[in-house]
């Protein structure tokens, strides 16, 4: 199973937020700061409303925890100022026990939640985490929506990977021509979708688009389906019948699984391509064919030619403009985008209010190799939407074989220790180094703050910086 590290997706890493704590009571301030720092957040404190407002003008803050009742400037005023500085700020107000009125008032003014004193530490942690997770999801959805909007104008084909952007570009260029196109790609990569996009963006868009699966019919049936027959052409042919080439007149015919076409039909098709003429089965008259041909295959047509199974002259006639669709595992950037697209589609279809995909589930989706490509992903999301009872698609609603895949750095489902062994010290060192570097980055190089972020003393932090040669 291949795993992919996907740095280009709009899926943000889980929140490590900057929180401002405002309380005129010193012990309360300190308690909040200690608890929140230990949870990995960056914490700023202010001892009154005025100091808080001054701070908010200088420092970006994602979450505000403020006492409501303070002398001079009240918590509600702080919240209003915070919202002016950052309309997306999350406010959690701390109110005295039993004063539900102020709590309600705070919520009315746009606070996200409130805590009533005395509160327990777990309640605080949970509320903060929930609020940040929700914010995180909202941002993620906004990013995904924006990404969806500015991808391309074939609104039903989702993708923003370089591979798919190249495909969109190509479709746009070739759609208005009448050139024959060969779309190739693994099963479920969207070949038919692309064929339709070419047709519906062409000058023939008001004429028929006719699809025929060459692998699904025995030779004689395929022959008569394509070219039609006259009455009496074979037993059972008791009337004249138009072939799909005639049905598609001035439109597009989509020949799916062209690699399965028998040699006899290949010859006839070659004639259509070369002379733009064909004859019904059993007929004597030649008819002009004005059709555009788009063929598709999930097989290596050049190899079939080399093996003598597909006519070389036909191959060149068909392969005028090759469009290759990359498998999903080669375009990890598209996975979350597609998943979101199918989520919206199926949630609407069954009338469920599911608002997103949990970060853990997204990780699983991205780590899985998708041998069945987009069709398989679509089925997985449809199933998850049907099974899910909550507001988010959780990893537990994904098909089991998707769930068991480990993300980057994982080693499969059974054991975290591979049979070939594993260098634990080195792994731990890698992790330490990552965290030290990240803390430095987040604190803008302020070592004391970075040390706080990791819950360690300044001295230990300096030791690790030196050990890993970080500046
Ligand atoms: N880029 C995409 N965006 C949105 N939906 C997609 C995309 N690609 C494929 N799909 C969906 O995935 C499913 C499979 O696509 P399609 O039938 O076009 O694949 P295919 O390559 O023709 O597969 P097969 O080789 O199995 O015939 C369809 O439901 C299609 O709508
Ligand atoms: Mg198909």
């Amino acid at each position: 199973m291949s795993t992919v590290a996907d740095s280009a997706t709009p899926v943000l890493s889980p929140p490590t937020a900057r929180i401002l704590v405002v309380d005129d009571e010193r012990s309360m301030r300190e308690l909040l700061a200690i608890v929140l720092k230990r949870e990995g957040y960056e914490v700023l404190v202010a001892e009154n409303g005025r100091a808080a407002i001054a701070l908010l003008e200088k420092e970006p803050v994602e979450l505000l925890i403020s006492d409501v009742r303070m002398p001079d400037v009240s918590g509600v005023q702080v919240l209003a100022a915070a919202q002016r500085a950052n309309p997306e700020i999350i406010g959690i107000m701390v109110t005295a026990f039993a004063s539900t009125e102020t709590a309600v008032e705070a919520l009315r003014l746009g606070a996200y939640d409130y805590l009533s004193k005395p509160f327990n530490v777990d309640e605080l942690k949970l509320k903060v985490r929930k609020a940040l997770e929700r914010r995180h999801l909202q941002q993620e959805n906004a990013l995904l929506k924006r990404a969806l909007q500015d991808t391309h104008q074939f609104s039903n084909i989702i993708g923003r990977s370089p591979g798919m952007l190249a495909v969109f570009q190509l479709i746009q260029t070739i759609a208005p021509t009448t050139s024959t196109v060969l779309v190739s790609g693994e099963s479920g990569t969207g070949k038919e979708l692309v064929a339709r996009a070419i047709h519906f963006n062409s000058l023939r868009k008001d004429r028929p688009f006719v699809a025929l699966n060459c692998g699904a019919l025995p030779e004689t049936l395929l022959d008569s389906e394509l070219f039609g027959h006259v009455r009496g052409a074979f037993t059972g042919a008791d009337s004249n019948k138009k072939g799909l080439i005639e049905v598609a007149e001035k439109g597009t015919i989509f020949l799916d699984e062209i690699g399965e076409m028998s040699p006899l039909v290949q010859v006839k098709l070659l004639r259509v391509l070369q002379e733009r003429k064909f004859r019904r089965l059993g007929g004597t008259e030649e008819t002009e064919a004005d059709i555009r041909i788009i063929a598709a295959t999930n097989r290596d047509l050049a190899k079939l030619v080399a093996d003598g199974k597909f006519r070389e002259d036909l191959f060149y006639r068909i392969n005028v403009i090759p469009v290759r669709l990359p498998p999903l595992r080669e375009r990890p950037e598209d996975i979350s985008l597609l998943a979101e697209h199918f989520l919206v589609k199926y949630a609407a279809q069954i009338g469920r209010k599911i608002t997103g995909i949990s970060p853990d589930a997204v990780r699983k989706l991205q780590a899985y190799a998708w041998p069945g490509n987009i069709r398989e992903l679509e089925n997985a999301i449809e199933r998850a939407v049907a099974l899910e009872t909550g507001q988010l698609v959780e990893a537990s609603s994904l098909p089991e074989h998707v769930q068991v895949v480990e993300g980057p750095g994982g080693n499969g489902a059974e054991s975290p220790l591979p049979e070939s062994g594993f260098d634990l010290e080195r792994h731990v060192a890698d992790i330490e180094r990552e965290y030290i570097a990240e803390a430095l980055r987040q604190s803008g190089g302020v070592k004391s703050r970075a040390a706080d972020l990791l819950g360690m003393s300044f001295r230990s932090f300096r030791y690790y910086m030196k050990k890993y040669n970080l500046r």
Side-chain angles (χ1 to χ4, degrees):
M1 232 48 11
S2 80
T3 57
V4 281
D6 179 11
S7 55
T9 52
V11 177
L12 309 167
S13 57
T16 50
R18 191 183 247 210
I19 301 177
L20 173 61
V21 168
V22 192
D23 204 310
D24 55 329
E25 206 180 302
R26 182 169 167 197
S27 61
M28 185 55 92
R29 241 176 13 238
E30 284 179 354
L31 169 69
L32 284 164
I34 289 168
V35 170
L36 294 169
K37 277 185 192 169
R38 219 187 283 134
E39 287 294 281
Y41 303 113
E42 187 179 345
V43 183
L44 308 175
V45 288
E47 58 185 24
N48 57 49
R50 193 154 303 156
I53 291 171
L55 235 164
L56 283 162
E57 278 162 12
K58 286 189 308 213
E59 301 273 352
V61 167
E62 280 99 64
L63 193 145
L64 167 76
I65 302 183
S66 176
D67 192 12
V68 173
R69 276 244 310 262
M70 292 184 292
D72 286 350
V73 181
S74 79
V76 172
Q77 285 170 295
V78 174
L79 176 66
Q83 286 170 333
R84 275 195 299 277
N86 170 14
E88 302 205 326
I89 200 163
I90 307 167
I92 296 182
M93 308 311 279
V94 183
T95 64
F97 178 64
S99 84
T100 36
E101 269 159 49
T102 33
V104 169
E105 175 69 1
L107 293 180
R108 203 181 59 75
L109 291 169
Y112 171 80
D113 207 344
Y114 67 90
L115 281 161
S116 37
K117 284 189 222 178
F119 53 84
N120 78 31
V121 167
D122 288 333
E123 189 189 353
L124 165 71
K125 288 191 211 163
L126 189 71
K127 285 200 166 171
V128 168
R129 192 160 55 83
K130 277 256 161 72
L132 288 170
E133 269 174 13
R134 210 183 76 149
R135 158 59 37 83
H136 180 66
L137 277 168
Q138 281 170 346
Q139 286 171 345
E140 209 164 77
N141 284 344
L143 277 172
L144 284 166
K145 284 209 187 84
R146 204 171 327 132
L148 267 177
Q149 276 159 10
D150 58 30
T151 33
H152 59 90
Q153 76 245 52
F154 312 111
S155 53
N156 59 333
I157 312 184
I158 309 301
R160 67 192 159 82
S161 56
M164 284 310 284
L165 294 181
V167 168
F168 297 142
Q169 182 75 54
L170 186 58
I171 296 177
Q172 206 152 351
T173 312
I174 64 178
T177 72
T178 52
S179 305
T180 303
V181 180
L182 176 63
V183 189
S184 61
E186 288 178 14
S187 163
T189 45
K191 298 185 291 296
E192 180 155 356
L193 206 58
V194 164
R196 287 177 189 276
I198 294 173
H199 171 76
F200 287 104
N201 282 278
S202 78
L203 303 172
R204 299 173 168 247
K205 62 174 185 291
D206 298 322
R207 307 291 306 174
F209 174 90
V210 176
L212 178 64
N213 184 340
C214 306
L217 298 174
E219 178 176 84
T220 46
L221 223 57
L222 178 62
D223 197 354
S224 90
E225 272 295 305
L226 252 183
F227 304 105
H229 59 249
V230 297
R231 189 169 163 220
F234 48 86
T235 341
D238 41 18
S239 63
N240 292 341
K241 188 181 169 234
K242 269 191 187 180
L244 293 180
I245 287 191
E246 277 175 84
V247 174
E249 176 67 12
K250 294 199 163 61
T252 303
I253 187 160
F254 174 54
L255 300 175
D256 206 356
E257 295 186 35
I258 187 113
E260 311 297 322
M261 192 176 263
S262 72
L264 171 82
V265 182
Q266 287 183 35
V267 177
K268 292 190 169 183
L269 181 63
L270 182 64
R271 190 164 156 64
V272 174
L273 281 162
Q274 277 174 341
E275 321 212 344
R276 299 282 153 190
K277 282 193 182 125
F278 72 96
R279 192 181 297 167
R280 284 186 184 177
L281 246 72
T284 48
E285 264 173 65
E286 293 241 285
T287 312
E288 298 274 335
D290 176 6
I291 47 162
R292 180 187 208 171
I293 295 178
I294 303 179
T297 181
N298 56 16
R299 303 181 62 179
D300 183 350
L301 223 46
K303 183 159 182 305
L304 292 182
V305 170
D307 295 346
K309 298 202 173 100
F310 199 85
R311 293 184 67 105
E312 190 171 12
D313 44 10
L314 179 59
F315 173 65
Y316 289 119
R317 285 278 174 185
I318 285 175
N319 199 30
V320 180
I321 300 173
V323 177
R324 182 188 169 268
L325 290 181
L328 192 50
R329 65 183 169 281
E330 282 177 22
R331 37 173 159 135
E333 303 92 325
D334 292 346
I335 293 177
S336 50
L337 204 60
L338 281 159
E340 184 81 12
H341 167 74
F342 294 132
L343 172 69
V344 171
K345 173 175 163 184
Y346 288 106
Q349 215 168 77
I350 62 172
R352 279 269 166 80
K353 211 170 151 80
I354 300 181
T355 52
I357 304 172
S358 79
D360 188 34
V362 170
R363 271 193 292 278
K364 298 283 184 200
L365 292 173
Q366 280 176 334
Y368 181 63
W370 301 108
N373 294 292
I374 294 135
R375 179 175 298 111
E376 188 184 1
L377 175 63
E378 180 167 3
N379 291 341
I381 299 295
E382 182 181 3
R383 174 182 181 276
V385 167
L387 291 177
E388 196 53 68
T389 50
Q391 290 218 320
L392 291 181
V393 168
E394 300 289 347
S396 57
S397 305
L398 297 174
E400 232 162 76
H401 54 279
V402 177
Q403 278 183 47
V404 297
V405 176
E406 286 292 319
N411 304 291
E414 265 67 280
S415 161
L417 179 61
E419 278 170 22
S420 54
F422 175 67
D423 187 342
L424 178 62
E425 275 177 7
R426 166 108 190 262
H427 185 63
V428 171
D430 284 347
I431 293 176
E432 277 176 352
R433 188 180 196 288
E434 281 296 315
Y435 274 102
I436 300 287
E438 175 62 13
L440 271 171
R441 202 183 59 74
Q442 281 191 22
S443 63
V446 181
K447 283 174 232 161
S448 56
R449 201 185 273 167
D452 272 355
L453 272 175
L454 297 176
M456 56 172 70
S457 69
F458 184 70
R459 273 182 60 150
S460 322
F461 191 82
R462 230 177 25 193
Y463 162 80
Y464 281 113
M465 269 181 69
K466 212 159 160 202
K467 178 172 171 189
Y468 295 117
N469 209 7
L470 291 166
R471 304 205 54 225

